[in-house]
Amino acid sequence: MYNSKIAGLGYYVPENVVTNEDLSKVMETSDSWIQERTGIKERRHVAKNEGDTTTSMGVKAAKIAIERAGIDANDIDFIVFATLSPDYYFPGPGVLVQRDLGIGTVGALDVRNQCSGFVYGVSVADQYVKSGMYQNVLVIGSEVHSRGLDMSTRGRGVSVIFGDGAGAAVVSRETDSSKGILSTHLHSEGQHAEELSVIAPGMGKRWVTDILADNDPNDESYFPYMNGQFVFKNAVVRFSEVIMEGLQTNGLGPTDIDMLIPHQANLRISQFVQKKFGLSDDQVFNNIMSYGNTTAASIPIALTEAWEQGKIKEGDLVVLAAFGSGFTWGSAIIRW
């Protein structure tokens, strides 16, 4: 058995900054209303009529991660792409990344686990590397939310939260068993699937021809729905559970954490978890204030920024944790 490590990190966000004040011009909201409920000050949106896509942002983040890993794109053995906002209904963006990076005919897997997608992707990569099947696995989380949001007062409860961006990691072989990804832990609870969801377009109950014929401007099924309070209550419980599960599996406790990188869903959730585990501000990295919730991209963006800022050092115990739609949640325990 080999061990695996995160050998390279990268992220990319669009240049277009959308502040809370900008949103207040298109819907009934305010900077104070948004910050009080979410902690968000601004987010990035792709250009309206041109610019980045989920795939192109993922490619840009991946190029940085590959370079920092000290390898070439052709050294990538497998691609895992996590997103809820693919360029196409199908095929998924994994194969588009393979094409755009000029990588040979390696496997490409698309992960549809929304907010926990990157943690799920890291878990898949970890197992492939540890089994000896692959040496370098590229894991990407990328989202373009802005093109699918209800940017009106009707949709403000959700639309003020989400932003666009991409993050990537190269998971590679590590011969030192005391370093790298120590364990990953994944869970789901499908009975709450509709509490945070986008119902359409889907093949569950309606024909595409009927959807096109209806053309109903009041049909909200195409926009994200979130039962905010219910999601919050479940998130703080599952975050805590899956972090403790990971620590206990490795004979560790909260005092061993050097850096917690939580999914950037809501600053209030992160603060709740931080307080519960007795962690200082220096032990938890949050950047939701600047980027909003970028779903599958949020952890790799935050992890990359924390590393770039020198907040993660060799030997540190780094914990990744996420909770979101599905419900799905997970954690990764890493000795850097």
Side-chain angles (χ1 to χ4, degrees):
M1 288 287 289
Y2 297 98
N3 205 19
S4 71
K5 66 178 180 181
I6 294 180
L9 291 165
Y11 81 96
Y12 172 83
V13 291
E15 294 181 1
N16 181 35
V17 177
V18 179
T19 66
N20 293 342
E21 287 81 2
D22 292 332
L23 294 181
S24 69
K25 298 174 184 177
V26 297
M27 63 181 71
E28 291 181 13
T29 190
S30 66
D31 177 62
S32 60
W33 189 90
I34 296 171
Q35 285 205 52
E36 179 183 345
R37 288 162 177 77
T38 69
I40 300 168
K41 299 179 182 179
E42 59 187 35
R43 72 287 295 148
R44 304 295 180 96
H45 285 177
V46 298
K48 189 169 186 179
N49 297 316
E50 59 182 24
D52 295 303
T53 67
T54 296
T55 296
S56 71
M57 292 195 303
V59 168
K60 290 173 182 177
K63 287 180 176 178
I64 298 170
I66 291 169
E67 180 181 358
R68 287 174 170 172
I71 62 174
D72 184 82
N74 287 318
D75 294 319
I76 297 297
D77 304 309
F78 195 76
I79 299 167
V80 182
F81 200 118
T83 188
L84 64 74
S85 52
D87 297 12
Y88 310 138
Y89 194 86
F90 68 85
V95 296
L96 304 182
V97 165
Q98 177 266 329
R99 176 188 67 187
D100 292 352
L101 287 176
I103 300 174
T105 56
V106 303
L109 173 68
D110 296 294
V111 174
R112 294 295 304 275
N113 282 79
Q114 293 67 250
C115 300
S116 63
F118 183 78
V119 172
Y120 267 70
V122 166
S123 182
V124 170
D126 175 49
Q127 299 307 314
Y128 274 136
V129 172
K130 283 180 176 174
S131 72
M133 186 170 183
Y134 299 126
Q135 185 165 338
N136 299 299
V137 178
L138 175 62
V139 184
I140 299 171
S142 182
E143 304 287 3
V144 174
H145 288 299
S146 58
R147 292 184 176 130
L149 297 174
D150 181 357
M151 300 301 286
S152 70
T153 300
R154 180 182 67 178
R156 66 178 177 179
V158 172
S159 298
V160 301
I161 297 171
F162 292 99
D164 304 337
V170 175
V171 178
S172 301
R173 189 174 296 172
E174 170 59 63
T175 56
D176 185 347
S177 61
S178 67
K179 295 171 59 178
I181 300 172
L182 304 182
S183 64
T184 59
H185 309 269
L186 309 176
H187 297 277
S188 69
E189 190 175 22
Q191 65 177 318
H192 302 309
E194 287 77 26
E195 301 299 338
L196 178 52
S197 61
V198 174
I199 301 302
M203 303 301 174
K205 296 181 180 179
R206 303 177 66 190
W207 295 84
V208 170
T209 49
D210 293 337
I211 295 172
L212 294 173
D214 288 349
N215 195 25
D216 182 2
N218 296 313
D219 184 357
E220 298 182 35
S221 62
Y222 288 88
F223 295 120
Y225 166 78
M226 179 171 64
N227 183 343
Q229 290 187 342
F230 187 76
V231 171
F232 187 99
K233 290 177 181 178
N234 277 266
V236 294
V237 171
R238 298 308 191 187
F239 261 109
S240 301
E241 287 179 350
V242 82
I243 291 170
M244 281 305 302
E245 178 185 2
L247 293 172
Q248 291 173 353
T249 296
N250 294 281
L252 301 167
T255 56
D256 294 303
I257 297 174
D258 293 299
M259 179 57 67
L260 170 63
I261 308 286
H263 162 55
Q264 304 294 296
N266 185 308
L267 186 59
R268 308 309 166 213
I269 295 175
S270 296
Q271 290 171 334
F272 183 96
V273 174
Q274 175 180 341
K275 184 177 181 180
K276 182 169 184 177
F277 282 92
L279 302 175
S280 69
D281 290 343
D282 292 333
Q283 292 173 286
V284 182
F285 190 84
N286 290 301
N287 62 3
I288 191 172
M289 303 79 73
S290 301
Y291 302 123
N293 181 344
T294 55
T295 309
S298 84
I299 285 181
I301 291 174
L303 181 61
T304 304
E305 281 202 328
W307 175 79
E308 288 178 346
Q309 294 173 21
K311 296 180 182 294
I312 296 175
K313 303 175 293 297
E314 186 173 354
D316 280 354
L317 187 75
V318 178
V319 177
L320 313 181
F323 173 90
S325 174
F327 289 151
T328 63
W329 61 98
S331 65
I333 311 300
I334 304 169
R335 181 66 69 183
W336 208 259

